Amino acid sequence: GIGRYLLAVWWAARSQRADLSQAERAQGRQHALEFLEQAFRGNFKAYERVEQEPAFEAFREDPRYMAVMRGA
């Protein structure tokens, strides 16, 4: 639900911090996508909110993100 979505946003934002290593940023992206997938499986259906969330801007071309947004 919404809790998983908020965790996804937090991880997505954290994954873009310049002071983190590349591995830490990749791990953050992984967590963000996992929580986003869990949010949608948990009845969170606010696709428009996700599309408008600035923290996910860097994810827009990611195949896994696109699959989540298609409802796959």
Side-chain angles (χ1 to χ4, degrees):
I2 187 74
R4 297 291 179 179
Y5 168 72
L6 293 174
L7 285 168
V9 170
W10 186 85
W11 279 107
R14 186 179 190 282
S15 74
Q16 298 172 53
R17 288 181 33 188
D19 63 323
L20 298 178
S21 70
Q22 185 175 359
E24 289 170 316
R25 288 192 302 271
Q27 182 182 35
R29 287 179 66 87
Q30 177 74 18
H31 287 312
L33 290 167
E34 288 171 2
F35 281 116
L36 188 60
E37 288 171 340
Q38 291 173 16
F40 283 116
R41 282 197 308 266
N43 236 5
F44 178 81
K45 303 299 180 204
Y47 288 94
E48 288 181 22
R49 182 174 184 166
V50 177
E51 289 173 349
Q52 296 171 2
E53 173 56 54
F56 289 113
E57 186 63 36
F59 290 67
R60 305 285 188 235
E61 301 300 318
D62 185 301
R64 189 169 168 196
Y65 171 85
M66 291 187 288
V68 170
M69 295 306 290
R70 280 193 310 269

